Amino acid sequence: MPADTFLLNKPIDKIVWRCPSNIAIVKYWGKKGIQIPCNTSVSFTLSESYSEIELEVFDKKNNSNIELEYFFEEKKNVPFENRVLKYLSDHLNQFPVLNDHAIRINSRNSFPHSAGIASSASAFGAIALSLLDASFILQNQSHNEEFFKRSSQLARLGSGSACRSMYGGFVLWGKNKVIADSSNEFAIPITSIHDNFKQWHDTILIVDDNPKKVSSSTGHSLMNQHVYAKSRFAQANERAARMVKILAGGDYEEFIKIAESEALTLHAMMMTSEDYYLLMKPGTLMAIEKIIDFRRATKIPVCFTLDAGPNVHLLYPENDKNTVTSFINDELKDSVKKIIFDKMGNGPQKIK
Ligand code: DP6
């Protein structure tokens, strides 16, 4: 639909949601069917790295097509508009609001483009929240406890990891036979958390800010035929279950062992795919070695994790913030391109 039609009208509603990104500790890598994960994953939700979506809802005239205009920071963004259009048309039955309404989305991120932060998680999280909220408002329905469960389900259909951003703190996604209420369809918050894990930091060391050479979708699909797939999925399920106990019990050492091994295993899967590839850079290894050396020397519970990219996420508890900040300034700052200081947050927020 050309932009000069419904955008000339006055919107009947305007909603703004802010949704944070998250960092996985036990990684989701491999999916099947309609965005069903091959294993359970665990993440914590961030606070400073978020997407904000302003959704304007307009009346729609006799048109059965989806009417969407997508802007990124007030500029038309056709590639992302097409991705969102596909998402909406693939799951139109989930978005009844689109049958008789046109929508304009303007999105912005709090973090720089290509910073190695999963922008699809926060963007699809915010899109799902604002569209679901619009449906509730138009049907005069108030939010109930199902709201975030449903928004998690809708966010998952856009990007798997987005479903974990619907709650603050530690979150789990993926059916796991030893975790009650776990589901492949939506994420659940992990509620029993020891004081040691109540506030963690994620300082992102940007080693390389070039666009990714291999997309996450390609990476996930390479797990379909992967020679180690079966044991990898079993390992992640077992680790996710163990992680839930560790978070309740407060054992730093066990947490670190799983977190670091998960990061290396994720990259090992990429390196051992049929179409193998390598995302780590010399700067990634340098930062990892410095982090391990610092931990050995100080016994401070700092560790690293990696996403599907070369940038290093330095994780540590609030209590050690000052010492770790000095370590970052003395040992890491000069050898990375940029540093983003983030920490655990409380989940999405309705701004308007
Ligand atoms: C390495 O959620 O980006 O960050 O479902 O295809 O959108 P899609 O993939 P995405 O994959 C994230 C992979 C990861 C690990 C994780 O977040 O668990």
Side-chain angles (χ1 to χ4, degrees):
M1 151 129 222
D4 54 0
T5 50
F6 74 80
L7 292 182
L8 297 174
N9 301 335
K10 210 173 155 343
I12 53 170
D13 221 326
K14 187 167 168 172
I15 299 165
V16 182
W17 274 90
R18 183 180 284 184
C19 182
S21 188
N22 65 76
I23 178 70
I25 308 300
V26 177
K27 308 290 181 183
Y28 147 56
W29 199 240
K31 59 179 168 180
K32 54 196 173 188
I34 304 173
Q35 295 278 99
I36 297 299
C38 292
N39 62 261
T40 315
S41 57
V42 175
S43 59
F44 71 75
T45 299
L46 299 174
S47 64
E48 307 306 309
S49 308
Y50 58 80
S51 298
E52 208 167 85
I53 293 279
E54 180 189 87
L55 173 75
E56 288 177 305
V57 182
F58 299 81
D59 276 327
K60 183 166 119 178
K61 308 251 164 18
N62 340 308
N63 188 339
S64 56
N65 294 332
I66 296 173
E67 291 180 19
L68 164 76
E69 294 289 341
Y70 196 98
F71 296 80
F72 182 71
E73 291 176 348
E74 297 296 347
K75 280 199 208 89
K76 184 88 176 148
N77 185 322
V78 176
F80 207 68
E81 180 175 276
N82 288 337
R83 184 165 171 194
V84 175
L85 257 179
K86 182 168 179 347
Y87 160 66
L88 297 177
S89 52
D90 285 353
H91 309 291
L92 194 54
N93 58 336
Q94 309 271 359
F95 298 106
V97 62
L98 298 174
N99 290 329
D100 37 15
H101 296 91
I103 55 171
R104 177 190 193 272
I105 290 176
N106 184 42
S107 126
R108 76 173 184 93
N109 292 339
S110 65
F111 47 89
H113 189 58
S114 298
I117 294 168
S119 60
S120 65
S122 51
F124 274 103
I127 292 170
L129 284 158
S130 45
L131 279 169
L132 185 63
D133 198 18
S135 301
F136 270 55
I137 292 170
L138 293 166
Q139 289 164 14
N140 277 328
Q141 235 182 309
S142 50
H143 289 189
N144 48 25
E145 59 183 47
E146 287 287 296
F147 181 79
F148 287 103
K149 190 169 164 178
R150 277 187 61 195
S151 64
S152 177
Q153 197 172 353
L154 294 176
R156 182 198 103 236
L157 297 171
S159 175
S161 54
C163 75
R164 296 187 310 237
S165 281
M166 294 302 122
Y167 302 96
F170 283 95
V171 181
L172 178 141
W173 169 43
K175 185 76 199 146
N176 191 295
K177 55 180 190 290
V178 299
I179 299 165
D181 301 329
S182 59
S183 169
N184 286 334
E185 307 281 323
F186 50 83
I188 53 170
I190 303 177
T191 47
S192 176
I193 302 287
H194 188 278
D195 278 350
N196 284 354
F197 293 110
K198 289 243 162 91
Q199 186 51 272
W200 269 57
H201 289 260
D202 176 8
T203 296
I204 307 157
L205 310 169
I206 308 295
V207 169
D208 185 301
D209 55 7
N210 291 312
K212 273 197 241 176
K213 276 196 243 110
V214 183
S215 71
S216 286
S217 314
T218 307
H220 284 293
S221 68
L222 287 170
M223 287 307 286
N224 294 338
Q225 306 299 327
H226 201 293
V227 63
Y228 300 135
K230 200 163 168 243
S231 41
R232 162 59 195 156
F233 300 145
Q235 175 193 51
N237 286 337
E238 185 277 323
R239 282 176 165 177
R242 197 141 46 92
M243 183 52 78
V244 171
K245 290 198 179 131
I246 293 168
L247 294 174
D251 192 328
Y252 283 141
E253 219 172 293
E254 287 298 304
F255 176 89
I256 289 170
K257 263 201 211 156
I258 292 184
E260 293 191 342
S261 175
E262 275 294 301
L264 298 179
T265 306
L266 170 71
H267 284 254
M269 289 300 111
M270 299 168 191
M271 289 189 254
T272 50
S273 298
E274 184 74 21
D275 287 329
Y276 51 86
Y277 62 106
L278 186 64
L279 296 181
M280 287 194 251
K281 299 277 178 201
T284 314
L285 298 183
M286 205 157 69
I288 287 177
E289 288 192 327
K290 282 186 179 168
I291 293 165
I292 294 175
D293 288 347
F294 175 74
R295 179 171 72 241
R296 289 208 174 118
T298 60
K299 310 280 179 249
I300 288 176
V302 287
C303 64
F304 69 86
T305 189
L306 304 167
D307 251 342
N311 301 321
V312 179
H313 291 246
L314 177 56
L315 310 177
Y316 50 96
E318 172 70 21
N319 281 348
D320 295 302
K321 188 180 159 195
N322 293 342
T323 327
V324 178
T325 306
S326 308
F327 161 61
I328 293 169
N329 287 331
D330 299 346
E331 304 251 357
L332 295 165
K333 205 172 83 197
D334 293 340
S335 52
V336 298
K337 287 209 157 144
K338 197 186 299 159
I339 299 185
I340 295 175
F341 290 90
D342 211 330
K343 56 180 187 302
M344 195 180 279
N346 298 326
Q349 209 187 335
K350 185 169 179 176
I351 307 292
K352 201 155 138 192

